[in-house]
Amino acid sequence: MNSYPPELLSQLAPVMFVAGLDAPTSTSTPPAPPTPQSATHPHTPSSAPPTPSKSQDSFAQLASRLRDALQSQRKPTIWAPERTKTFHIILVDKAIRFPPRKLVPPEDPQFSNAHSPLSPLTPSSPLYPDGLIAPIWIRKHTALVPSVFVLFLRLFEVPPINPRSPLDPPDVEHERERGEEERRRDAELSAEIAQRKKSTNERGIKLTVVLLASRRMLDDPSLDGRLTFIRRQSGLDSRAALFVLSPVSSSELNDFVRSLQDALYEPALEYYTTHSKRVRRKRNRHSQAVSSYNPVHNPLAAPNIPRPLRPEGWTVRYEYKMACFAEFRGEDEVALKHYQDAYATLLIMFGSTAILPPRTKRWAEAKVLADTINVKISKLYLYNNEHALALSHHNSHMRRFADFSRGWGIGEETFEYWSWMARQHRVLAELLEQGSRTTLTFPTHLPVPRPASVGTPLELDAVRALGLNPSHALQHPGHYYYMAARCTEVRRERFLAGESMAQGAPAAPGYANEEKVDHLTIILELYTKSYELFKKYSSPASQGRLTLWIACRIAHTYYESGKFDMAVRFFERIAKTYRREKWGTMLRPLLGTWYACAQKLGDIDMTVKLLIEMIGYGDTDEPGTLQEDLLAVLRSSVPSKPDEPLMVDLKESEPLLDTTMLFWKSEVRVGEDAAFQLSLIAPTNTVISSLPIDSITVRFTEEYAPVIIQHTPASTQDRVRLVQVGRLEHEDEDMEIEADLRLKPGDRLIVSGTMSSEIPRLLKVSSVTIELKEGDWTIEVPQEPCAAREGSSLAPRWLSSLNPVNFLPMGRGDHSSLSIRHRPHELSVSFTHPEPALLDEEYPIMIEITNTDERELDIIVDVLLQPTEIDIAVQHIIFDGQQSSGLIKGIHFGVVAPGVTALKTLYLVSGGAPGDRTIDVSVQSSSTTNDPSRSRSTSPASPAGPLSRDVSETLQTLVIPTLSALEVVYDVGYRRALGKRAELADLLRYEEEGIDDGTGGDSEAVVTARVTCGGPWGLEIESLNLIRQEVGGAKVLECFSEEGDNNMFPGEYLPGDEFCDMFRVSIAPDEDQGLNGGVVPGPGKYEIIWRSRILPGGDRGPLTSTHFALPPLLPPRDELIALLSVPSTAKLHAPIPMELTIRNQHPSRSANIEVQLALDPLDGFVVAGLRSGHIPVLLPGGEEKLVWRLIPIECGYVRVPGIKVMDRRRSGAEQEAEGDLVKVVDVRLDWRRGTEDTRLVAEGAEAEGGASPAEQVGLGTVLVLP
Amino acid sequence: MPPPLRLNAVAFISPQNHPILIRTFQKGDELKYHYVAHTSLDVIEERISGDSKSTECYLGLLYAMDDVAAYGYITPLKVKIVIALALTDSVVRDAEVISAFKALHMAFYHAVSNPFLKLDAATNSGNDQYPYLLVGGSKWKSFRQRVDEISKALGNVTST
């Protein structure tokens, strides 16, 4: 931008002249209204009003503040898109004169025909006769002629006189004097203003006067009058022409300045509009006059007679002026339009060499004008965020002028062309950079997401949605600086080419200038700017590859300019990233230039390093040259430090030799040998066959001695060479072997051997170092252990035979490392237990662990009893004194010496239900021998992984089938109790022990318990006990097994053996149980104590007790029942009693019972007693007993006379005769199963309703004997 | 109707940012396109880091520099494809660029699914890049040929 006149580029703004705020050079002569006559400096001191020094100070301060405030309003810049009503304010002297409008004074009669001093028509003008427009014209409007003139003046104030006393009357004389003085001063002031007004009026400039007055004056009633007087006298406008300002604070001053500009903006616009109108008039007049005007100035005249400006030129001139005035007004669109018109016409002019002959002064001026108009147009587009239009204009400008340039003979082959191109790029870059500091933002060019539905009509964004023109995509200025630098590089190239061609010949025009140009400095500057901008605009996460690229260019430029040390510093940094990202193709030329730098710098070490790295990257173009270079360097020089070997670290770069390490197995045991092959393969894309490789050192992880392969020339050079190193052992001495290390491309050197370790660890090759020796040089080249160069694939292949050469492919991925593990512990674990287990017993499981290893092992056992899925099963294990239903952990078997067996017994107790029980046993062994890895594990370097701990674990699962040893089957029958029941009102009924004697129960249960011995083997049963338990409603009355010693126990019972017991229970369900469905819980349990007969070794097992609960009892319920009791036998003719007990067991109803004896003539009895009759109403729970006497009169089984018991109560009125039959039960035959749902009775399949009506008939007989 | 695309170079870059194949269709300018490919990575990374959830492969214009406009594409497996188009003063239709990218993606996909690529490689090798870097190697020609064909196909549009 600096290459263009700043006037042509900067943003124009209305110009305001401010006068009367002179700098305090005039402290001795304070600013005072000068007399109208003395319009020039210096003022006559005599006219200075005698202002007090204090107010003078405050006014000086005010003036200085005003100056600051005004000057800070706007700086002339190129990029100023905001349109606030801001003036470009210039402080001028009060007496400033404007440049003359025309050369002749207005009084001259020639005035109307004369032109402006800058017009091409004026012979003395720099533009005469055919100039377009000059920067001086813009300067005239930005610096010499304002649109608004603001004049600051002091209003005269009489110093206040301190009254001698407040009571004094006003000094009339003094007042009058003051008034006169004021009037005189005001008149002087007005005259001065009028003078200035005259000069501004001539040019249509608005004049505004600001009167500075003290605050006291503002309140003075005479102020208004004085102001009106001054305004009238001086001929000021009525609007916005006279202000009064008193000393105020800075912030208030800023407000004042703001409002001053607001008030004057309108007149300023008017001023520029007037100019525009005037120019437009001239343009219109001119364009009409073209036809007549043109032939007059026919360019047939002699060439040295300057031709006047052509009509196109005038158009450019007028359009440009109008554009400028529009820009002054802030009308960007109008300005853009006029600039475009001017630009278009300029292009027409450039199109013809007749109009603008190339390489003339006017041509050069016009080119500058075109360039700057282009910048202005681009800028105006950018203000509006029309990036594509801006770039499009800029690009087409460059393209057009590139085309023109070819016509002018300054095409691509000339440096002028590239210089101009660079300048264009740079101008754009600078414009963007300026813009980006304020309002300009750069788009990201992300692709527009595809519209989801295809059918949507394309709208305004359709063009963008289809794609964008990459050359119209605005990027950050770094790109354009970069372009400028590139162009400058070409410019330099062209210049150098031209220079070499023009040796001796007279230099072309411009060569002298070009010779002075320091191209490289410019290039560097441009690249550096670009670099900074790229850095600024790169995202923080970015790797900075773009900046590296620029840096690369910078480095090259440094190299070109001979600053090799700088270039080297850049190269070092750049190479780091390129190496890491394996971009060898970019690294190769970089290394080449770097190498050239190193050579220039004479840094031998660096040269050698770079050569070796370059050999690593390969030289495909001329194989072998690099190693020859290296050899030449090594032979012709000495190292800088002869004592130390030179380290050339190739760990990040490509290796000199491709290496692969192969282990035959991925895992071996401690002490076992592992075969390995290390292949060193010479690259095929470079030649290293004559590199002075002295030795190759292969280092392993852990403390293995390195293998050093020393070079020994061999007579035959096989393509594949095998070197056997035998067995590598830990901490041996260095293993040195010999081999021929001159490798042709593709040669393989295979080092084969075995390794072993006494410690578990991971073995790898940690580094491969190649040592070169030549003369005094010793160069060590460490490289990555298993590295293949870019592009070459090293399939892991195991050399299986050398003659013929044969390889086996290795399919493993981890072929380059070997893990060594402990041998597993040799333990034999056995479990002894006779299956199956029986319920309730402590079932012993013998765990026997034998150490069959050679090491002492510390053994710990964990046992887990798996939860069972069987219902109602309960189980637990007992082990080593601990009891758990789940896990028992850490049972220590102690340290078991080799060959020794450790034994422990685990007990399983399972109850509830038979089924399989599952037990997991984990045997953990750890070696207690003085383990080297243990002692080493304290050192931080050794890997503290599972590898180093010598622990192994054996897991076993036992499934133990469990059977029940004994099974019980209950058989329950019910009888109605005949015992005497307590009367209803008897208190005994309400006592707990109401059925203690067993007589009070409703019914009785007779239970037979049948115990079966299960299991595969016999049991010794010690005892059988019925344990009574207090249960409401039931009570065991007697039990068979308790009746004396029946020698059943102890006894041995074989599988399938059964034995029985029997007991009688009296049942009197209480009310709760009655509601509960009548179930009465079993009143106790059986306890059987037994032991398993066999154990291994013939021992008998411990006593085990098994409990069986008595069955729940569910007696059938009667409501109203008649129980008949007769003796079973009788003697003929001897009377027997027959009793009928009628019980009302209904919980709530009373019964009305009628009893009838149904005598039959065939009956074998004579009956004495009631034949038929009622018994008193039976309340619930009540009973009534009737007794007959029977005299048998026949022998044999004689039927008992029929008895009919009726419950009349229920039948009601209709069936008075009949009633419900009440069942008569012969108590001798009374045997019933439980109620229908007696599912709880063991084997209750035959449970049947005991009260079938057939029983009615089934009254028993009596055996009558003679 | 904008002129057809002029493909100057194609670059395939592995997910670890190592070059797989850089194919230049202009003689003598290979290095420049290596730089274009490498520097494009910066812009690509910036674009994908901003919106990690985006499934859009096409990344659009990366930048324009010298006489080249670089366009980017990233496959779902993070292989990056960069093409360098000759910078002409005309609209480049995204649809055309995308179809070119898709063709290139398919070419890569076909080439890399060649089972013989892994013939020499250790099976279950931890090195994911293995077939990627190999496919651009000099040993396997089909990938190059495919890329060249795509370039020709784009160029053929010019002649019709």
Side-chain angles (χ1 to χ4, degrees):
Chain A
M1 269 190 195
N2 298 336
S3 50
Y4 293 110
E7 294 89 350
L8 296 180
L9 290 173
S10 63
Q11 175 72 37
L12 304 176
V15 179
M16 176 194 285
F17 274 13
V18 174
L21 292 175
D22 297 321
T25 47
S26 51
T27 37
S28 58
T29 60
T35 52
Q37 290 77 26
S38 62
T40 53
H41 267 249
H43 312 295
T44 46
S46 60
S47 68
T51 41
S53 66
K54 186 187 163 219
S55 74
Q56 175 196 335
D57 280 353
S58 73
F59 281 106
Q61 198 187 17
L62 175 65
S64 123
R65 280 180 182 170
L66 266 174
R67 272 196 308 273
D68 293 347
L70 292 168
Q71 275 172 332
S72 66
Q73 284 303 302
R74 187 178 181 277
K75 297 270 182 296
T77 54
I78 292 170
W79 184 275
E82 56 285 316
R83 292 284 160 267
T84 52
K85 292 175 175 176
T86 311
F87 280 84
H88 179 58
I89 296 171
I90 301 169
L91 296 177
V92 294
D93 187 73
K94 236 185 275 189
I96 190 168
R97 284 168 188 274
F98 303 124
R101 295 187 62 197
K102 299 188 180 182
L103 276 182
V104 287
E107 301 80 32
D108 197 291
Q110 286 288 310
F111 181 77
S112 58
N113 287 332
H115 295 279
S116 136
L118 293 179
S119 163
L121 296 176
T122 309
S124 64
S125 153
L127 297 178
Y128 180 80
D130 53 355
L132 284 169
I133 200 131
I136 189 174
W137 180 82
I138 298 191
R139 206 179 309 136
K140 182 178 96 180
H141 280 283
T142 53
L144 301 178
V145 183
S147 61
V148 178
F149 197 105
V150 179
L151 188 60
F152 283 85
L153 292 170
R154 269 298 303 276
L155 186 65
F156 174 75
E157 292 172 45
V158 178
I161 303 158
N162 295 331
R164 285 160 298 239
S165 147
L167 296 175
D168 278 354
D171 189 345
V172 181
E173 181 64 13
H174 179 82
E175 284 294 300
R176 197 178 54 82
E177 263 176 31
R178 200 189 83 167
E180 274 176 13
E181 178 70 12
E182 277 176 0
R183 181 151 292 249
R184 193 174 57 81
R185 294 281 190 167
D186 287 354
E188 281 171 14
L189 198 67
S190 306
E192 188 194 354
I193 294 169
Q195 177 75 10
R196 174 45 73 193
K197 179 75 187 161
K198 188 169 157 250
S199 71
T200 56
N201 269 357
E202 267 175 18
R203 295 189 161 261
I205 299 167
K206 167 91 177 175
L207 178 68
T208 292
V209 175
V210 181
L211 292 174
L212 303 178
S214 66
R215 193 169 283 276
R216 183 177 59 84
M217 192 62 208
L218 292 181
D219 302 331
D220 196 310
S222 67
L223 181 66
D224 273 356
R226 289 178 67 187
L227 290 180
T228 315
F229 171 77
I230 291 170
R231 189 158 57 81
R232 291 226 178 104
Q233 281 295 105
S234 55
L236 283 174
D237 306 340
S238 54
R239 209 161 57 87
L242 190 59
F243 295 86
V244 179
L245 179 68
S246 60
V248 287
S249 73
S250 302
S251 63
E252 283 173 294
L253 261 191
N254 278 329
D255 292 345
F256 167 75
V257 169
R258 182 71 262 152
S259 62
L260 183 69
Q261 293 186 85
D262 286 346
L264 295 181
Y265 201 72
E266 197 89 340
L269 294 191
E270 272 168 29
Y271 170 80
Y272 291 115
T273 313
T274 315
H275 271 292
S276 273
K277 279 181 183 156
R278 188 176 49 81
V279 175
R280 182 176 300 123
R281 262 199 315 278
K282 277 162 95 177
R283 186 198 62 181
N284 292 345
R285 197 166 57 215
H286 169 79
S287 58
Q288 285 157 7
V290 161
S291 50
S292 62
Y293 198 92
N294 208 14
V296 179
H297 304 280
N298 206 317
L300 284 174
N304 48 357
I305 294 176
R307 287 161 300 179
L309 190 61
R310 297 201 154 239
E312 291 86 356
W314 284 104
T315 310
V316 171
R317 190 172 159 81
Y318 292 140
E319 291 292 346
Y320 191 80
K321 282 186 173 182
M322 282 197 282
C324 285
F325 289 130
E327 202 179 327
F328 274 122
R329 296 196 302 268
E331 294 171 12
D332 287 346
E333 285 81 8
V334 181
L336 178 60
K337 173 77 181 58
H338 287 300
Y339 278 130
Q340 278 174 325
D341 287 349
Y343 182 81
T345 319
L346 253 184
L347 284 187
I348 296 171
M349 294 177 72
F350 275 112
S352 152
T353 47
I355 300 178
L356 268 182
R359 291 179 180 276
T360 56
K361 181 165 169 267
R362 294 300 176 209
W363 170 82
E365 285 172 9
K367 235 178 129 192
V368 167
L369 187 64
D371 289 351
T372 50
I373 293 179
N374 169 53
V375 172
K376 284 226 169 188
I377 292 175
S378 300
K379 181 177 74 175
L380 287 169
Y381 276 132
L382 287 175
Y383 279 177
N384 214 10
N385 271 332
E386 284 165 336
H387 303 144
L389 285 174
L391 276 179
S392 154
H393 194 273
H394 187 76
N395 288 342
S396 76
H397 172 70
M398 288 202 292
R399 206 172 46 244
R400 285 242 176 80
F401 277 82
D403 291 345
F404 285 142
S405 296
R406 281 174 210 119
W408 296 329
I410 43 173
E412 282 102 330
E413 70 287 348
T414 60
F415 62 84
E416 285 105 327
Y417 175 86
W418 290 106
S419 152
W420 182 80
M421 287 299 264
R423 203 197 294 179
Q424 297 312 304
H425 284 299
R426 181 173 188 157
V427 144
L428 179 65
E430 283 170 348
L431 179 67
L432 292 175
E433 200 183 351
Q434 284 211 2
S436 67
R437 281 187 207 129
T438 55
T439 50
L440 189 64
T441 52
F442 300 103
T444 54
H445 306 305
L446 274 172
V448 182
R450 315 256 90 197
S453 55
V454 187
T456 50
L458 296 173
E459 294 193 9
L460 267 177
D461 288 335
V463 182
R464 173 63 191 90
L466 285 175
L468 85 172
N469 182 342
S471 54
H472 293 176
L474 187 69
Q475 306 179 79
H476 67 78
H479 285 270
Y480 304 104
Y481 275 122
Y482 167 80
M483 288 304 292
R486 297 281 290 167
C487 290
T488 313
E489 278 181 350
V490 184
R491 171 186 175 188
R492 177 167 177 269
E493 251 171 57
R494 298 286 182 258
F495 169 69
L496 293 178
E499 201 173 42
S500 60
M501 276 198 338
Q503 281 295 328
Y511 247 97
N513 274 334
E514 191 72 6
E515 270 175 344
K516 291 179 204 150
V517 175
D518 187 354
H519 294 98
L520 291 169
T521 312
I522 299 175
I523 296 171
L524 262 183
E525 180 200 344
L526 289 168
Y527 273 137
T528 309
K529 277 194 169 170
S530 173
Y531 179 84
E532 280 159 10
L533 286 162
F534 267 105
K535 212 166 188 177
K536 180 180 160 194
Y537 284 100
S538 68
S539 76
S542 134
Q543 303 277 324
R545 297 184 187 89
L546 277 161
T547 48
L548 277 188
W549 158 233
I550 310 283
C552 193
R553 302 300 318 162
I554 294 177
H556 272 279
T557 315
Y558 274 125
Y559 170 69
E560 293 282 337
S561 51
K563 294 174 185 161
F564 302 113
D565 49 341
M566 286 298 286
V568 164
R569 274 169 53 193
F570 272 88
F571 283 135
E572 274 170 7
R573 167 69 194 84
I574 300 163
K576 235 181 243 173
T577 303
Y578 287 1
R579 275 182 205 137
R580 195 181 60 234
E581 304 207 328
K582 292 197 192 289
W583 287 73
T585 41
M586 286 170 3
L587 200 49
R588 239 169 260 149
L590 186 144
L591 289 173
T593 321
W594 190 353
Y595 170 55
C597 284
Q599 277 182 318
K600 289 268 168 41
L601 285 173
D603 188 334
I604 296 293
D605 287 2
M606 194 195 294
T607 314
V608 169
K609 278 185 184 177
L610 286 169
L611 271 172
I612 290 173
E613 188 172 355
M614 281 159 80
I615 290 172
Y617 278 98
D619 46 348
T620 36
D621 303 336
E622 300 165 76
T625 47
L626 287 175
Q627 65 164 348
E628 281 157 26
D629 288 355
L630 178 63
L631 281 174
V633 169
L634 293 182
R635 283 173 190 152
S636 64
S637 62
V638 286
S640 55
K641 293 177 196 160
D643 308 331
E644 286 176 34
L646 179 69
M647 296 289 289
V648 183
D649 195 338
L650 291 187
K651 287 200 167 167
E652 289 216 310
S653 314
E654 300 283 35
L656 275 185
L657 293 171
D658 295 348
T659 51
T660 53
M661 182 69 180
L662 292 180
F663 284 102
W664 181 246
K665 288 191 204 165
S666 63
E667 196 178 307
V668 293
R669 302 294 173 201
V670 166
E672 198 179 333
D673 281 357
F676 72 89
Q677 285 188 350
L678 175 74
S679 305
L680 301 161
I681 305 159
T684 51
N685 63 347
T686 186
V687 182
I688 57 163
S689 54
S690 45
L691 279 189
I693 300 179
D694 181 62
S695 68
I696 298 174
T697 309
V698 182
R699 288 190 177 79
F700 298 92
T701 53
E702 305 290 337
E703 292 145 11
Y704 273 82
V707 175
I708 300 169
I709 309 163
Q710 285 285 352
H711 172 61
T712 326
S715 51
T716 55
Q717 294 205 328
D718 300 321
R719 298 307 307 272
V720 177
R721 293 165 219 171
L722 181 68
V723 187
Q724 297 282 0
V725 292
R727 189 157 185 270
L728 295 186
E729 283 192 57
H730 186 48
E731 284 162 17
D732 251 349
E733 284 186 4
D734 289 7
M735 176 81 79
E736 288 202 15
I737 47 173
E738 294 182 342
D740 189 348
L741 297 179
R742 299 287 172 265
L743 295 166
K744 290 201 188 64
D747 279 3
R748 277 170 182 259
L749 177 71
I750 296 172
V751 181
S752 168
T754 58
M755 304 176 80
S756 67
S757 168
E758 292 306 320
I759 310 163
R761 55 170 56 145
L762 196 67
L763 272 181
K764 270 184 183 176
V765 176
S766 67
S767 78
V768 173
T769 308
I770 299 168
E771 198 176 86
L772 307 177
K773 267 192 184 160
E774 177 72 42
D776 293 337
W777 285 91
T778 306
I779 306 166
E780 278 187 15
V781 187
Q783 59 174 44
E784 276 291 298
C786 293
R789 64 195 53 241
E790 184 188 334
S792 72
S793 64
L794 280 184
R797 294 194 299 169
W798 185 269
L799 179 71
S800 60
S801 99
L802 199 56
N803 195 16
V805 174
N806 206 348
F807 291 98
L808 283 176
M810 300 272 284
R812 285 187 290 117
D814 54 346
H815 51 76
S816 60
S817 65
L818 171 73
S819 50
I820 296 171
R821 300 185 186 282
H822 281 294
R823 274 175 290 127
H825 294 162
E826 299 285 337
L827 280 179
S828 93
V829 180
S830 68
F831 300 94
T832 318
H833 55 102
E835 285 186 356
L838 299 178
L839 286 183
D840 296 323
E841 75 170 332
E842 270 188 11
Y843 179 65
I845 301 166
M846 190 100 79
I847 303 177
E848 190 176 340
I849 300 173
T850 310
N851 182 358
T852 51
D853 207 303
E854 296 154 1
R855 294 162 284 187
E856 276 194 347
L857 298 174
D858 192 6
I859 293 168
I860 289 172
V861 176
D862 295 348
V863 183
L864 174 67
L865 176 62
Q866 297 279 9
T868 171
E869 290 173 4
I870 306 161
D871 294 342
I872 63 164
V874 277
Q875 52 183 9
H876 63 267
I877 46 178
I878 302 165
F879 196 25
D880 214 32
Q882 296 183 47
Q883 179 171 336
S884 162
S885 59
L887 180 68
I888 294 180
K889 234 177 120 76
I891 298 301
H892 199 225
F893 273 57
V895 177
V896 181
V900 173
T901 301
L903 270 177
K904 268 189 197 272
T905 308
L906 162 77
Y907 292 99
L908 166 72
V909 181
S910 42
D916 288 352
R917 283 4 186 218
T918 311
I919 297 176
D920 286 342
V921 181
S922 148
V923 179
Q924 297 143 30
S925 54
S926 51
S927 171
T928 55
T929 47
N930 203 0
D931 191 343
S933 71
R934 286 221 178 155
S935 55
R936 283 165 46 83
S937 68
T938 48
S939 74
S942 70
L947 207 61
S948 63
R949 280 182 51 224
D950 190 5
V951 167
S952 69
E953 183 177 12
T954 323
L955 271 177
Q956 292 216 20
T957 301
L958 299 175
V959 177
I960 296 167
T962 308
L963 301 179
S964 38
L966 296 164
E967 279 174 37
V968 167
V969 174
Y970 292 108
D971 189 12
V972 188
Y974 298 95
R975 297 195 323 198
R976 294 171 179 93
L978 277 180
K980 174 82 177 104
R981 285 158 55 107
E983 291 297 327
L984 265 182
D986 194 336
L987 285 177
L988 199 61
R989 278 183 86 111
Y990 306 99
E991 285 179 14
E992 283 292 310
E993 302 82 32
I995 52 167
D996 243 6
D997 52 354
T999 54
D1002 286 339
S1003 54
E1004 281 176 10
V1006 177
V1007 183
T1008 311
R1010 198 172 74 216
V1011 181
T1012 313
C1013 293
W1017 48 74
L1019 307 173
E1020 263 187 30
I1021 298 183
E1022 287 289 324
S1023 64
L1024 172 80
N1025 294 313
L1026 181 69
I1027 300 169
R1028 290 174 171 80
Q1029 279 168 343
E1030 284 300 327
V1031 171
K1035 187 176 170 63
V1036 178
L1037 297 177
E1038 52 191 339
C1039 177
F1040 171 73
S1041 58
E1042 288 168 358
E1043 301 290 323
D1045 184 14
N1046 40 29
N1047 283 331
M1048 278 173 75
F1049 306 113
E1052 190 173 329
Y1053 290 78
L1054 292 176
D1057 284 358
E1058 295 185 356
F1059 57 90
C1060 290
D1061 191 29
M1062 208 168 185
F1063 58 93
R1064 198 157 65 90
V1065 184
S1066 155
I1067 307 169
D1070 50 29
E1071 308 232 327
D1072 295 346
Q1073 287 156 349
L1075 295 174
N1076 213 0
V1079 182
V1080 181
K1085 59 182 181 183
Y1086 273 115
E1087 182 194 52
I1088 303 172
I1089 296 177
W1090 54 277
R1091 65 175 86 200
S1092 175
R1093 193 172 58 86
I1094 347 165
L1095 271 185
D1099 288 344
R1100 296 187 302 175
L1103 282 177
T1104 304
S1105 71
T1106 301
H1107 295 263
F1108 297 105
L1110 296 185
L1113 301 173
L1114 191 65
R1117 304 294 298 265
D1118 302 317
E1119 289 185 354
L1120 198 54
I1121 193 86
L1123 301 172
L1124 181 72
S1125 162
V1126 243
S1128 296
T1129 56
K1131 207 154 166 91
L1132 195 66
H1133 300 151
I1136 51 169
M1138 179 174 80
E1139 290 177 9
L1140 184 70
T1141 313
I1142 303 166
R1143 280 185 190 161
N1144 182 7
Q1145 304 216 21
H1146 198 280
S1148 56
R1149 258 183 218 153
S1150 55
N1152 187 10
I1153 302 294
E1154 193 185 271
V1155 179
Q1156 257 181 339
L1157 203 59
L1159 285 177
D1160 196 324
L1162 297 177
D1163 277 348
F1165 290 107
V1166 174
V1167 181
L1170 183 70
R1171 292 293 163 92
S1172 173
H1174 279 282
I1175 54 173
V1177 169
L1178 270 181
L1179 294 174
E1183 74 174 15
E1184 193 63 51
K1185 190 182 265 183
L1186 301 175
V1187 181
W1188 290 268
R1189 287 185 76 82
L1190 302 181
I1191 301 156
I1193 52 173
E1194 278 177 30
C1195 285
Y1197 289 101
V1198 181
R1199 277 189 58 217
V1200 177
I1203 298 171
K1204 196 173 167 191
V1205 183
M1206 304 281 289
D1207 181 10
R1208 304 286 303 236
R1209 182 185 176 276
R1210 191 140 19 127
S1211 51
E1214 301 90 15
Q1215 296 182 342
E1216 193 120 343
E1218 290 294 314
D1220 278 354
L1221 266 180
V1222 176
K1223 201 168 73 182
V1224 178
V1225 179
D1226 185 344
V1227 290
R1228 293 173 303 167
L1229 303 177
D1230 188 12
W1231 180 259
R1232 294 178 300 169
R1233 295 284 169 203
T1235 344
E1236 208 59 58
D1237 57 346
T1238 52
R1239 61 188 182 284
L1240 296 173
V1241 176
E1243 298 186 38
E1246 48 187 304
E1248 60 181 54
S1252 73
E1255 264 184 84
Q1256 182 67 34
V1257 208
L1259 283 182
T1261 52
V1262 177
L1263 177 62
V1264 182
L1265 299 170
Chain B
M1 180 66 191
L5 306 180
R6 252 189 50 219
L7 201 57
N8 279 6
V10 177
F12 291 86
I13 301 155
S14 79
Q16 287 78 13
N17 291 341
H18 301 169
I20 296 172
L21 175 73
I22 295 173
R23 199 84 183 119
T24 316
F25 305 109
Q26 281 194 323
K27 285 279 163 271
D29 242 355
E30 283 82 0
L31 181 60
K32 170 174 151 186
Y33 291 105
H34 275 89
Y35 274 115
V36 168
H38 186 246
T39 47
S40 293
L41 288 177
D42 260 9
V43 191
I44 291 178
E45 281 179 356
E46 193 184 319
R47 297 243 165 117
I48 55 177
S49 69
D51 184 9
S52 54
K53 288 191 189 74
S54 170
T55 52
E56 189 65 58
C57 293
Y58 178 55
L59 299 173
L61 174 71
L62 301 178
Y63 65 82
M65 208 185 235
D66 284 342
D67 51 347
V68 165
Y71 280 78
Y73 185 90
I74 184 162
T75 72
L77 289 177
K78 306 285 178 248
V79 171
K80 294 133 191 158
I81 309 177
V82 176
I83 60 176
L85 299 177
L87 195 59
T88 54
D89 193 9
S90 57
V91 170
V92 174
R93 296 235 302 264
D94 282 337
E96 282 182 35
V97 183
I98 289 172
S99 64
F101 270 129
K102 289 203 167 145
L104 290 167
H105 186 183
M106 277 317 280
F108 176 73
Y109 173 69
H110 276 298
V112 96
S113 37
N114 176 2
F116 294 99
L117 276 179
K118 289 198 170 184
L119 192 61
D120 289 337
T123 49
N124 61 48
S125 157
N127 190 356
D128 290 341
Q129 283 203 65
Y130 189 72
Y132 288 171
L133 291 187
L134 211 60
V135 77
S138 51
K139 196 171 164 191
W140 301 94
K141 295 194 182 65
S142 72
F143 184 37
R144 271 150 213 274
Q145 281 167 4
R146 274 180 221 267
V147 172
D148 290 358
E149 274 164 24
I150 291 166
S151 152
K152 269 187 213 147
L154 285 173
N156 277 344
V157 184
T158 333
S159 57
T160 53

